[in-house]
Amino acid sequence: MVGSQGEENLPRVSDAFRWTQLAIGVVCMVMIANLQYGWTFFVPDIQKTFGWDRAAIQWAFTLFVLFETWLVPIEGWFVDKYGPKLVVVFGGALCAVGWVINSYATSLTLFYLGQIIAGIGAGAVYGTCVGNALKWFPDKRGLAAGITAAGFGAGSALTVAPIQAMIANDGFQAAFFWFGLGQGIIVIIFALFMHTPRSGQVPAPVLNKNIVQTRRNFAPTEVLRQPIFWLMYFMFVIVGAGGLMVTANLKPIGADLKLDGVPVSLFGLTMTAVTFAATLDRILNGLTRPFFGWVSDKIGRENTMFIAFAMEGVGIYMLHLFGHDPVWFVLLSGFVFFAWGEIYSLFPSTCTDTFGSKYAATNAGLLYTAKGTAALLVPFANVLQQQTGTWDVVFIIAAGANILAAILAIGVLKPWRAGVVRKHELQQPANTAAA
């Protein structure tokens, strides 16, 4: 039997094989999580050692996110054409090199270089693993993308305490060196076992009244000409910016609120407020991705976006009101991360639902560059905080942006996307099978 792309249809693989491929991607995502979520622990020691302005240091974080995201479409093209293995090996090597450079850096220029290299590597791993998950699970796209993204969101939870302990005992340079080297090597090993599905090996996309999925495959150049893509891009930016701001500044925010060394006892555990918040944040930031991905498979992508984005807006505003209390700081920061992290499952699955799975890695990568655009706002949040002497204005702007995105999801994206898919299905009746 021959598929729609001229390929011979192979027999369906077992679900066990599909889940194994997903698990490999999750391990790789766990190994790159600290590159983003662990950065906040290094900032105070870098500032203390070199005396640089915090906003200048945070440009290293912004550069990391920019290069992690803006090159993903190129890396995705290589994945779609040549498969995932070589791209992830390349990414793992660069992740290790980037943090090793950070361990030797004595200037902002070297930190910027290290973060750029680490960002390129992390993007190669992230984009490949999410794109591969979308291809292996056309029947469970939200859940698969969510589980994979959960590895990135929660992957650093277990290393919050070890990284802080190594920074305290051996210095931040040693933490950069050993964690960078170890994480990169593990990514390279697991990459050798990654595969991409071929025609016939996976189920067809699901068809139900809540999940609007096209059976047409849009090339990346076509996607960029679709106005609805840019609506999704704008929504990704305004929601992503608030979460990235908290991610990059969690420890500085805690310090500014005089909570850095305050002990908090919750759930039978006692930790300082910032350490407790960082640990809880990463766990919830991971759990939210498969949870809301699964929910979106049931009730639809846009309906889920509305719920999650509204929760995020309320959570950030509540953090603005009550974050000075150490217990509320821990609980509300966790709530904010739970309501924020789902963007990394909802947007890739929505993109693939709309534009097809053949070029899933590239097209989802194009949308993922919105995270890099959002990261440009992080240093400006620091500047605004320094000018006003408070985080209040930053929190209020972020809360409002999330409420706007919630309204756009249900009021504009949902009816527009349904119309776009229906229009192209009628125009391309012969193009009925996804790769």
Side-chain angles (χ1 to χ4, degrees), residues 29 41 61 63 119 189 194 211 225 329 339 349:
M29 295 284 268
F41 302 121
F61 178 85
L63 287 169
I189 292 171
M194 294 186 76
I211 306 298
R225 295 196 298 267
F329 178 80
S349 52

Side-chain angles (χ1 to χ4, degrees), residues 319-340:
L319 186 61
H320 151 66
L321 292 179
F322 304 110
H324 58 276
D325 178 271
V327 173
W328 280 114
F329 178 80
V330 172
L331 294 176
L332 288 172
S333 67
F335 182 82
V336 165
F337 272 82
F338 182 76
W340 175 69

Side-chain angles (χ1 to χ4, degrees), residues 160-171:
V160 167
I163 280 186
Q164 292 194 98
M166 183 171 281
I167 290 173
N169 296 329
D170 303 311

Side-chain angles (χ1 to χ4, degrees), residues 153-197:
S156 62
L158 294 177
T159 54
V160 167
I163 280 186
Q164 292 194 98
M166 183 171 281
I167 290 173
N169 296 329
D170 303 311
F172 71 87
Q173 294 95 339
F176 269 134
F177 183 89
W178 291 111
F179 274 91
L181 201 61
Q183 290 162 176
I185 289 172
I186 293 173
V187 168
I188 291 171
I189 292 171
F190 274 81
L192 300 177
F193 300 94
M194 294 186 76
H195 301 281
T196 195

Side-chain angles (χ1 to χ4, degrees), residues 40-51 167-168 171-172 251:
T40 189
F41 302 121
F42 293 91
V43 173
D45 284 78
I46 294 172
Q47 187 175 22
K48 181 179 178 181
T49 300
F50 299 107
I167 290 173
F172 71 87
K251 187 160 186 173

Side-chain angles (χ1 to χ4, degrees), residues 80-165:
D80 289 334
K81 192 169 181 66
Y82 299 110
K85 196 171 301 184
L86 289 177
V87 178
V88 177
V89 167
F90 168 79
L94 290 189
C95 288
V97 169
W99 266 30
V100 168
I101 290 175
N102 284 349
S103 73
Y104 288 100
T106 55
S107 68
L108 279 171
T109 301
L110 272 182
F111 275 110
Y112 293 164
L113 176 64
Q115 289 297 91
I116 287 170
I117 292 173
I120 296 171
V125 176
Y126 189 108
T128 302
C129 293
V130 172
N132 221 35
L134 293 168
K135 291 182 178 183
W136 277 111
F137 287 88
D139 52 330
K140 298 181 180 70
R141 279 183 184 146
L143 178 62
I147 292 173
T148 304
F152 190 71
S156 62
L158 294 177
T159 54
V160 167
I163 280 186
Q164 292 194 98

